[in-house]
Amino acid sequence: MAPEESAEAARLLPSFERRFLAARTLRSFPWKSLEEKLRDSSGPELLLNILRKTVKHPLCVKHPPSVKYARCFLSELIRKHEAVHTEPLDELYEALAEVLMAEEPTQSHRSYLLPSGDSVTLSESTAIISHGTTGLVTWDAALYLAEWAIENPAAFAHRIVLELGSGAGLTGLAICKTCCPSTYIFSDCHTCVLEQLRGNILLNGLSLEPDTTDPARHPGHNTYNSESPRVMVAHLDWDVVTAPELAAFQPDVIIAADVLYCPETVFSLIRVLQRLSACLKNQQAPEAYIAFTIRNPETCQLFTSELGRAGIPWEAVPHHNQKLFPYEEHSDMKILKLML
């Protein structure tokens, strides 16, 4: 491969790698750029490298995506190859044959590469809405908030972080692996989400503290190992949680991502933020960061209006520079910083 071809391929490979590991929609892949490179290339090196960075990637081999996803990806890759080269590439067909013989599990995996060289791998439901909740999959605002956190680690370093509506756990796991919090408290209200969340925490090599549903088991400050955060999972229903239960968490930072999907959740979130503000008046006010995708402007307007009515000041966080994770390029996402 000529030096200029090698440079172009080097730019193309990470795009395929990150999108495939995260199991993004196939239409988001740079297929047009691949077709151009294949027409300019006489050898199979580029496709073999893509195969190594996707289906044969060590992370994918250990924690594979859904069988259907891998099959559709390989089928598209073969179509692109056949459109340009008449000679079949055995490695592509062998990989497809392996996938066709595999059974489809109820859980699949998505992996996200971190700048440190580490990664976050999530086991997720293959259905977008499963068991009556959207918390079993990762939404774009969680990726967006994780990127911002990685770019701003000082906001979380050596602090107690409480996440509301943790879902599959992407944001929290990225913060635990890159931002050095003293304690990280994942929370959600759905039993099936909490079960999967605990599994994802262990899947990523973190240890879990005992159940935090007992208010007496407050997190405190981590004094025994500053490099490894204490990690807890709490069952937290915004509509019924009490002020003493919230006060026991002693958070320095509160975060939430993609939880503003209907007016009911907006009102519930405002109420829990008010309780947190009221019960933490005797300590330094925690910072809160709420990330969301603007799907319905009226819902977002409702949130800011209700913040005003509750007397909670807020400001928009400037867009960050780095794009580490693959998500919809044209999604309108925001992070609000609340002063509780």
Side-chain angles (χ1 to χ4, degrees), residues 148-183:
W148 182 85
I150 292 169
E151 195 171 277
N152 297 272
F156 306 95
H158 315 301
R159 307 179 82 184
I160 298 173
V161 183
L162 169 62
E163 182 178 6
L164 304 173
S166 298
L170 181 279
T171 305
L173 290 167
I175 290 174
C176 286
K177 289 192 171 193
T178 60
C179 300
C180 302
S182 63
T183 300

PDB file of all heavy atoms in Angstrom, residues 148-183:
ATOM      1  N   TRP A 148     -17.761  15.023  27.845  1.00  0.00           N
ATOM      2  CA  TRP A 148     -17.507  16.265  28.592  1.00  0.00           C
ATOM      3  C   TRP A 148     -16.772  15.965  29.886  1.00  0.00           C
ATOM      4  O   TRP A 148     -15.839  16.691  30.262  1.00  0.00           O
ATOM      5  CB  TRP A 148     -18.830  16.982  28.892  1.00  0.00           C
ATOM      6  CG  TRP A 148     -18.626  18.277  29.613  1.00  0.00           C
ATOM      7  CD1 TRP A 148     -18.351  19.496  29.062  1.00  0.00           C
ATOM      8  CD2 TRP A 148     -18.626  18.472  31.041  1.00  0.00           C
ATOM      9  NE1 TRP A 148     -18.190  20.438  30.051  1.00  0.00           N
ATOM     10  CE2 TRP A 148     -18.354  19.843  31.267  1.00  0.00           C
ATOM     11  CE3 TRP A 148     -18.831  17.625  32.124  1.00  0.00           C
ATOM     12  CZ2 TRP A 148     -18.282  20.373  32.555  1.00  0.00           C
ATOM     13  CZ3 TRP A 148     -18.761  18.157  33.403  1.00  0.00           C
ATOM     14  CH2 TRP A 148     -18.494  19.520  33.613  1.00  0.00           C
ATOM     15  N   ALA A 149     -17.148  14.914  30.573  1.00  0.00           N
ATOM     16  CA  ALA A 149     -16.487  14.547  31.830  1.00  0.00           C
ATOM     17  C   ALA A 149     -15.014  14.209  31.601  1.00  0.00           C
ATOM     18  O   ALA A 149     -14.144  14.636  32.377  1.00  0.00           O
ATOM     19  CB  ALA A 149     -17.218  13.359  32.462  1.00  0.00           C
ATOM     20  N   ILE A 150     -14.736  13.466  30.542  1.00  0.00           N
ATOM     21  CA  ILE A 150     -13.345  13.087  30.250  1.00  0.00           C
ATOM     22  C   ILE A 150     -12.506  14.332  29.945  1.00  0.00           C
ATOM     23  O   ILE A 150     -11.329  14.399  30.285  1.00  0.00           O
ATOM     24  CB  ILE A 150     -13.313  12.078  29.086  1.00  0.00           C
ATOM     25  CG1 ILE A 150     -13.928  10.746  29.535  1.00  0.00           C
ATOM     26  CG2 ILE A 150     -11.890  11.857  28.581  1.00  0.00           C
ATOM     27  CD1 ILE A 150     -14.182   9.772  28.406  1.00  0.00           C
ATOM     28  N   GLU A 151     -13.134  15.331  29.330  1.00  0.00           N
ATOM     29  CA  GLU A 151     -12.431  16.573  29.028  1.00  0.00           C
ATOM     30  C   GLU A 151     -12.335  17.479  30.253  1.00  0.00           C
ATOM     31  O   GLU A 151     -11.495  18.385  30.304  1.00  0.00           O
ATOM     32  CB  GLU A 151     -13.162  17.310  27.895  1.00  0.00           C
ATOM     33  CG  GLU A 151     -12.340  18.425  27.247  1.00  0.00           C
ATOM     34  CD  GLU A 151     -13.017  18.980  26.007  1.00  0.00           C
ATOM     35  OE1 GLU A 151     -12.864  18.383  24.927  1.00  0.00           O
ATOM     36  OE2 GLU A 151     -13.687  20.013  26.136  1.00  0.00           O
ATOM     37  N   ASN A 152     -13.156  17.225  31.266  1.00  0.00           N
ATOM     38  CA  ASN A 152     -13.182  18.062  32.477  1.00  0.00           C
ATOM     39  C   ASN A 152     -13.103  17.192  33.737  1.00  0.00           C
ATOM     40  O   ASN A 152     -13.995  17.225  34.596  1.00  0.00           O
ATOM     41  CB  ASN A 152     -14.459  18.907  32.502  1.00  0.00           C
ATOM     42  CG  ASN A 152     -14.540  19.873  31.345  1.00  0.00           C
ATOM     43  OD1 ASN A 152     -14.047  20.997  31.418  1.00  0.00           O
ATOM     44  ND2 ASN A 152     -15.180  19.442  30.257  1.00  0.00           N
ATOM     45  N   PRO A 153     -12.015  16.438  33.904  1.00  0.00           N
ATOM     46  CA  PRO A 153     -11.946  15.494  35.027  1.00  0.00           C
ATOM     47  C   PRO A 153     -11.935  16.175  36.394  1.00  0.00           C
ATOM     48  O   PRO A 153     -12.350  15.563  37.392  1.00  0.00           O
ATOM     49  CB  PRO A 153     -10.636  14.750  34.765  1.00  0.00           C
ATOM     50  CG  PRO A 153      -9.814  15.692  33.934  1.00  0.00           C
ATOM     51  CD  PRO A 153     -10.804  16.410  33.072  1.00  0.00           C
ATOM     52  N   ALA A 154     -11.499  17.424  36.464  1.00  0.00           N
ATOM     53  CA  ALA A 154     -11.438  18.121  37.754  1.00  0.00           C
ATOM     54  C   ALA A 154     -12.810  18.285  38.388  1.00  0.00           C
ATOM     55  O   ALA A 154     -12.931  18.437  39.607  1.00  0.00           O
ATOM     56  CB  ALA A 154     -10.775  19.482  37.587  1.00  0.00           C
ATOM     57  N   ALA A 155     -13.860  18.250  37.573  1.00  0.00           N
ATOM     58  CA  ALA A 155     -15.216  18.385  38.107  1.00  0.00           C
ATOM     59  C   ALA A 155     -15.606  17.179  38.956  1.00  0.00           C
ATOM     60  O   ALA A 155     -16.548  17.261  39.756  1.00  0.00           O
ATOM     61  CB  ALA A 155     -16.208  18.562  36.967  1.00  0.00           C
ATOM     62  N   PHE A 156     -14.880  16.064  38.806  1.00  0.00           N
ATOM     63  CA  PHE A 156     -15.251  14.829  39.492  1.00  0.00           C
ATOM     64  C   PHE A 156     -14.137  14.256  40.375  1.00  0.00           C
ATOM     65  O   PHE A 156     -14.407  13.398  41.216  1.00  0.00           O
ATOM     66  CB  PHE A 156     -15.654  13.772  38.454  1.00  0.00           C
ATOM     67  CG  PHE A 156     -16.728  14.233  37.518  1.00  0.00           C
ATOM     68  CD1 PHE A 156     -16.406  14.774  36.271  1.00  0.00           C
ATOM     69  CD2 PHE A 156     -18.060  14.155  37.878  1.00  0.00           C
ATOM     70  CE1 PHE A 156     -17.398  15.203  35.404  1.00  0.00           C
ATOM     71  CE2 PHE A 156     -19.054  14.590  37.016  1.00  0.00           C
ATOM     72  CZ  PHE A 156     -18.729  15.121  35.783  1.00  0.00           C
ATOM     73  N   ALA A 157     -12.913  14.702  40.181  1.00  0.00           N
ATOM     74  CA  ALA A 157     -11.767  14.118  40.890  1.00  0.00           C
ATOM     75  C   ALA A 157     -11.915  14.266  42.398  1.00  0.00           C
ATOM     76  O   ALA A 157     -12.203  15.356  42.910  1.00  0.00           O
ATOM     77  CB  ALA A 157     -10.470  14.770  40.418  1.00  0.00           C
ATOM     78  N   HIS A 158     -11.756  13.130  43.119  1.00  0.00           N
ATOM     79  CA  HIS A 158     -11.777  13.083  44.585  1.00  0.00           C
ATOM     80  C   HIS A 158     -13.094  13.583  45.166  1.00  0.00           C
ATOM     81  O   HIS A 158     -13.123  14.130  46.270  1.00  0.00           O
ATOM     82  CB  HIS A 158     -10.602  13.875  45.153  1.00  0.00           C
ATOM     83  CG  HIS A 158      -9.309  13.614  44.456  1.00  0.00           C
ATOM     84  ND1 HIS A 158      -8.742  12.358  44.375  1.00  0.00           N
ATOM     85  CD2 HIS A 158      -8.480  14.441  43.749  1.00  0.00           C
ATOM     86  CE1 HIS A 158      -7.611  12.423  43.676  1.00  0.00           C
ATOM     87  NE2 HIS A 158      -7.441  13.669  43.276  1.00  0.00           N
ATOM     88  N   ARG A 159     -14.175  13.396  44.431  1.00  0.00           N
ATOM     89  CA  ARG A 159     -15.478  13.858  44.886  1.00  0.00           C
ATOM     90  C   ARG A 159     -16.481  12.707  44.861  1.00  0.00           C
ATOM     91  O   ARG A 159     -16.282  11.694  44.173  1.00  0.00           O
ATOM     92  CB  ARG A 159     -15.974  15.014  44.007  1.00  0.00           C
ATOM     93  CG  ARG A 159     -14.964  16.141  43.882  1.00  0.00           C
ATOM     94  CD  ARG A 159     -15.444  17.261  42.992  1.00  0.00           C
ATOM     95  NE  ARG A 159     -16.332  18.177  43.724  1.00  0.00           N
ATOM     96  CZ  ARG A 159     -16.953  19.202  43.161  1.00  0.00           C
ATOM     97  NH1 ARG A 159     -16.825  19.427  41.870  1.00  0.00           N
ATOM     98  NH2 ARG A 159     -17.731  19.995  43.876  1.00  0.00           N
ATOM     99  N   ILE A 160     -17.575  12.877  45.613  1.00  0.00           N
ATOM    100  CA  ILE A 160     -18.653  11.894  45.621  1.00  0.00           C
ATOM    101  C   ILE A 160     -19.648  12.279  44.529  1.00  0.00           C
ATOM    102  O   ILE A 160     -20.178  13.389  44.531  1.00  0.00           O
ATOM    103  CB  ILE A 160     -19.360  11.853  46.985  1.00  0.00           C
ATOM    104  CG1 ILE A 160     -18.381  11.444  48.083  1.00  0.00           C
ATOM    105  CG2 ILE A 160     -20.543  10.884  46.945  1.00  0.00           C
ATOM    106  CD1 ILE A 160     -18.965  11.535  49.480  1.00  0.00           C
ATOM    107  N   VAL A 161     -19.888  11.356  43.624  1.00  0.00           N
ATOM    108  CA  VAL A 161     -20.766  11.618  42.479  1.00  0.00           C
ATOM    109  C   VAL A 161     -22.009  10.751  42.605  1.00  0.00           C
ATOM    110  O   VAL A 161     -21.918   9.530  42.789  1.00  0.00           O
ATOM    111  CB  VAL A 161     -20.048  11.327  41.140  1.00  0.00           C
ATOM    112  CG1 VAL A 161     -20.956  11.682  39.966  1.00  0.00           C
ATOM    113  CG2 VAL A 161     -18.729  12.089  41.052  1.00  0.00           C
ATOM    114  N   LEU A 162     -23.168  11.373  42.503  1.00  0.00           N
ATOM    115  CA  LEU A 162     -24.450  10.661  42.473  1.00  0.00           C
ATOM    116  C   LEU A 162     -25.041  10.822  41.087  1.00  0.00           C
ATOM    117  O   LEU A 162     -25.271  11.941  40.626  1.00  0.00           O
ATOM    118  CB  LEU A 162     -25.406  11.230  43.523  1.00  0.00           C
ATOM    119  CG  LEU A 162     -26.871  10.761  43.437  1.00  0.00           C
ATOM    120  CD1 LEU A 162     -26.986   9.248  43.651  1.00  0.00           C
ATOM    121  CD2 LEU A 162     -27.737  11.520  44.443  1.00  0.00           C
ATOM    122  N   GLU A 163     -25.282   9.706  40.408  1.00  0.00           N
ATOM    123  CA  GLU A 163     -25.913   9.758  39.090  1.00  0.00           C
ATOM    124  C   GLU A 163     -27.367   9.332  39.210  1.00  0.00           C
ATOM    125  O   GLU A 163     -27.679   8.271  39.764  1.00  0.00           O
ATOM    126  CB  GLU A 163     -25.197   8.849  38.086  1.00  0.00           C
ATOM    127  CG  GLU A 163     -25.819   8.947  36.692  1.00  0.00           C
ATOM    128  CD  GLU A 163     -25.127   8.106  35.643  1.00  0.00           C
ATOM    129  OE1 GLU A 163     -24.205   7.329  35.997  1.00  0.00           O
ATOM    130  OE2 GLU A 163     -25.500   8.226  34.461  1.00  0.00           O
ATOM    131  N   LEU A 164     -28.253  10.143  38.684  1.00  0.00           N
ATOM    132  CA  LEU A 164     -29.684   9.851  38.669  1.00  0.00           C
ATOM    133  C   LEU A 164     -30.058   9.210  37.338  1.00  0.00           C
ATOM    134  O   LEU A 164     -29.737   9.741  36.280  1.00  0.00           O
ATOM    135  CB  LEU A 164     -30.485  11.145  38.864  1.00  0.00           C
ATOM    136  CG  LEU A 164     -30.178  11.959  40.124  1.00  0.00           C
ATOM    137  CD1 LEU A 164     -30.926  13.288  40.091  1.00  0.00           C
ATOM    138  CD2 LEU A 164     -30.531  11.177  41.379  1.00  0.00           C
ATOM    139  N   GLY A 165     -30.730   8.073  37.391  1.00  0.00           N
ATOM    140  CA  GLY A 165     -31.133   7.401  36.148  1.00  0.00           C
ATOM    141  C   GLY A 165     -29.949   6.891  35.362  1.00  0.00           C
ATOM    142  O   GLY A 165     -29.757   7.259  34.201  1.00  0.00           O
ATOM    143  N   SER A 166     -29.153   6.012  35.965  1.00  0.00           N
ATOM    144  CA  SER A 166     -27.887   5.585  35.352  1.00  0.00           C
ATOM    145  C   SER A 166     -28.058   4.718  34.123  1.00  0.00           C
ATOM    146  O   SER A 166     -27.149   4.635  33.291  1.00  0.00           O
ATOM    147  CB  SER A 166     -27.037   4.830  36.387  1.00  0.00           C
ATOM    148  OG  SER A 166     -26.704   5.657  37.466  1.00  0.00           O
ATOM    149  N   GLY A 167     -29.192   4.035  33.997  1.00  0.00           N
ATOM    150  CA  GLY A 167     -29.397   3.186  32.828  1.00  0.00           C
ATOM    151  C   GLY A 167     -28.357   2.086  32.733  1.00  0.00           C
ATOM    152  O   GLY A 167     -28.050   1.406  33.719  1.00  0.00           O
ATOM    153  N   ALA A 168     -27.773   1.906  31.550  1.00  0.00           N
ATOM    154  CA  ALA A 168     -26.787   0.843  31.348  1.00  0.00           C
ATOM    155  C   ALA A 168     -25.443   1.136  32.008  1.00  0.00           C
ATOM    156  O   ALA A 168     -24.634   0.230  32.197  1.00  0.00           O
ATOM    157  CB  ALA A 168     -26.584   0.600  29.852  1.00  0.00           C
ATOM    158  N   GLY A 169     -25.190   2.422  32.342  1.00  0.00           N
ATOM    159  CA  GLY A 169     -23.993   2.745  33.127  1.00  0.00           C
ATOM    160  C   GLY A 169     -22.831   3.349  32.382  1.00  0.00           C
ATOM    161  O   GLY A 169     -21.757   3.550  32.966  1.00  0.00           O
ATOM    162  N   LEU A 170     -22.998   3.691  31.102  1.00  0.00           N
ATOM    163  CA  LEU A 170     -21.867   4.187  30.301  1.00  0.00           C
ATOM    164  C   LEU A 170     -21.192   5.399  30.922  1.00  0.00           C
ATOM    165  O   LEU A 170     -19.965   5.420  31.110  1.00  0.00           O
ATOM    166  CB  LEU A 170     -22.346   4.507  28.880  1.00  0.00           C
ATOM    167  CG  LEU A 170     -21.369   5.028  27.826  1.00  0.00           C
ATOM    168  CD1 LEU A 170     -21.088   6.501  27.917  1.00  0.00           C
ATOM    169  CD2 LEU A 170     -20.087   4.218  27.801  1.00  0.00           C
ATOM    170  N   THR A 171     -21.960   6.430  31.242  1.00  0.00           N
ATOM    171  CA  THR A 171     -21.368   7.678  31.741  1.00  0.00           C
ATOM    172  C   THR A 171     -20.588   7.434  33.020  1.00  0.00           C
ATOM    173  O   THR A 171     -19.451   7.882  33.176  1.00  0.00           O
ATOM    174  CB  THR A 171     -22.460   8.739  31.989  1.00  0.00           C
ATOM    175  OG1 THR A 171     -23.207   8.919  30.785  1.00  0.00           O
ATOM    176  CG2 THR A 171     -21.839  10.061  32.397  1.00  0.00           C
ATOM    177  N   GLY A 172     -21.200   6.733  33.958  1.00  0.00           N
ATOM    178  CA  GLY A 172     -20.539   6.484  35.235  1.00  0.00           C
ATOM    179  C   GLY A 172     -19.284   5.651  35.109  1.00  0.00           C
ATOM    180  O   GLY A 172     -18.278   5.911  35.772  1.00  0.00           O
ATOM    181  N   LEU A 173     -19.324   4.632  34.274  1.00  0.00           N
ATOM    182  CA  LEU A 173     -18.145   3.790  34.092  1.00  0.00           C
ATOM    183  C   LEU A 173     -16.998   4.572  33.466  1.00  0.00           C
ATOM    184  O   LEU A 173     -15.831   4.414  33.846  1.00  0.00           O
ATOM    185  CB  LEU A 173     -18.497   2.571  33.235  1.00  0.00           C
ATOM    186  CG  LEU A 173     -19.417   1.551  33.926  1.00  0.00           C
ATOM    187  CD1 LEU A 173     -19.961   0.548  32.920  1.00  0.00           C
ATOM    188  CD2 LEU A 173     -18.654   0.833  35.041  1.00  0.00           C
ATOM    189  N   ALA A 174     -17.313   5.450  32.502  1.00  0.00           N
ATOM    190  CA  ALA A 174     -16.275   6.288  31.904  1.00  0.00           C
ATOM    191  C   ALA A 174     -15.686   7.236  32.942  1.00  0.00           C
ATOM    192  O   ALA A 174     -14.462   7.440  32.983  1.00  0.00           O
ATOM    193  CB  ALA A 174     -16.859   7.084  30.732  1.00  0.00           C
ATOM    194  N   ILE A 175     -16.526   7.813  33.800  1.00  0.00           N
ATOM    195  CA  ILE A 175     -16.032   8.719  34.846  1.00  0.00           C
ATOM    196  C   ILE A 175     -15.181   7.950  35.851  1.00  0.00           C
ATOM    197  O   ILE A 175     -14.112   8.424  36.260  1.00  0.00           O
ATOM    198  CB  ILE A 175     -17.216   9.429  35.535  1.00  0.00           C
ATOM    199  CG1 ILE A 175     -17.850  10.435  34.574  1.00  0.00           C
ATOM    200  CG2 ILE A 175     -16.771  10.120  36.820  1.00  0.00           C
ATOM    201  CD1 ILE A 175     -19.117  11.085  35.094  1.00  0.00           C
ATOM    202  N   CYS A 176     -15.625   6.764  36.252  1.00  0.00           N
ATOM    203  CA  CYS A 176     -14.852   5.963  37.199  1.00  0.00           C
ATOM    204  C   CYS A 176     -13.478   5.602  36.649  1.00  0.00           C
ATOM    205  O   CYS A 176     -12.490   5.551  37.391  1.00  0.00           O
ATOM    206  CB  CYS A 176     -15.617   4.687  37.561  1.00  0.00           C
ATOM    207  SG  CYS A 176     -17.025   4.943  38.664  1.00  0.00           S
ATOM    208  N   LYS A 177     -13.395   5.368  35.348  1.00  0.00           N
ATOM    209  CA  LYS A 177     -12.134   4.926  34.747  1.00  0.00           C
ATOM    210  C   LYS A 177     -11.201   6.074  34.360  1.00  0.00           C
ATOM    211  O   LYS A 177     -10.015   5.847  34.136  1.00  0.00           O
ATOM    212  CB  LYS A 177     -12.422   4.073  33.502  1.00  0.00           C
ATOM    213  CG  LYS A 177     -13.016   2.708  33.834  1.00  0.00           C
ATOM    214  CD  LYS A 177     -12.998   1.794  32.619  1.00  0.00           C
ATOM    215  CE  LYS A 177     -13.389   0.381  33.004  1.00  0.00           C
ATOM    216  NZ  LYS A 177     -13.089  -0.609  31.952  1.00  0.00           N
ATOM    217  N   THR A 178     -11.733   7.304  34.281  1.00  0.00           N
ATOM    218  CA  THR A 178     -10.896   8.396  33.767  1.00  0.00           C
ATOM    219  C   THR A 178     -10.820   9.629  34.666  1.00  0.00           C
ATOM    220  O   THR A 178      -9.913  10.433  34.501  1.00  0.00           O
ATOM    221  CB  THR A 178     -11.393   8.864  32.380  1.00  0.00           C
ATOM    222  OG1 THR A 178     -12.738   9.336  32.498  1.00  0.00           O
ATOM    223  CG2 THR A 178     -11.342   7.731  31.363  1.00  0.00           C
ATOM    224  N   CYS A 179     -11.767   9.800  35.610  1.00  0.00           N
ATOM    225  CA  CYS A 179     -11.864  11.071  36.334  1.00  0.00           C
ATOM    226  C   CYS A 179     -11.549  10.976  37.833  1.00  0.00           C
ATOM    227  O   CYS A 179     -11.629  11.986  38.545  1.00  0.00           O
ATOM    228  CB  CYS A 179     -13.257  11.676  36.146  1.00  0.00           C
ATOM    229  SG  CYS A 179     -13.667  12.026  34.428  1.00  0.00           S
ATOM    230  N   CYS A 180     -11.231   9.795  38.335  1.00  0.00           N
ATOM    231  CA  CYS A 180     -10.794   9.602  39.728  1.00  0.00           C
ATOM    232  C   CYS A 180     -11.764  10.135  40.785  1.00  0.00           C
ATOM    233  O   CYS A 180     -11.353  10.843  41.715  1.00  0.00           O
ATOM    234  CB  CYS A 180      -9.420  10.242  39.948  1.00  0.00           C
ATOM    235  SG  CYS A 180      -8.129   9.620  38.878  1.00  0.00           S
ATOM    236  N   PRO A 181     -13.056   9.829  40.698  1.00  0.00           N
ATOM    237  CA  PRO A 181     -13.934  10.222  41.808  1.00  0.00           C
ATOM    238  C   PRO A 181     -13.592   9.405  43.048  1.00  0.00           C
ATOM    239  O   PRO A 181     -13.050   8.302  42.945  1.00  0.00           O
ATOM    240  CB  PRO A 181     -15.328   9.869  41.284  1.00  0.00           C
ATOM    241  CG  PRO A 181     -15.090   8.730  40.346  1.00  0.00           C
ATOM    242  CD  PRO A 181     -13.767   9.029  39.687  1.00  0.00           C
ATOM    243  N   SER A 182     -13.886   9.946  44.231  1.00  0.00           N
ATOM    244  CA  SER A 182     -13.648   9.163  45.443  1.00  0.00           C
ATOM    245  C   SER A 182     -14.725   8.097  45.596  1.00  0.00           C
ATOM    246  O   SER A 182     -14.454   6.966  46.000  1.00  0.00           O
ATOM    247  CB  SER A 182     -13.626  10.065  46.678  1.00  0.00           C
ATOM    248  OG  SER A 182     -14.887  10.683  46.874  1.00  0.00           O
ATOM    249  N   THR A 183     -15.966   8.464  45.265  1.00  0.00           N
ATOM    250  CA  THR A 183     -17.101   7.541  45.342  1.00  0.00           C
ATOM    251  C   THR A 183     -18.035   7.825  44.174  1.00  0.00           C
ATOM    252  O   THR A 183     -18.262   8.983  43.834  1.00  0.00           O
ATOM    253  CB  THR A 183     -17.881   7.720  46.663  1.00  0.00           C
ATOM    254  OG1 THR A 183     -17.004   7.469  47.765  1.00  0.00           O
ATOM    255  CG2 THR A 183     -19.073   6.772  46.734  1.00  0.00           C
TER     256      THR A 183
END
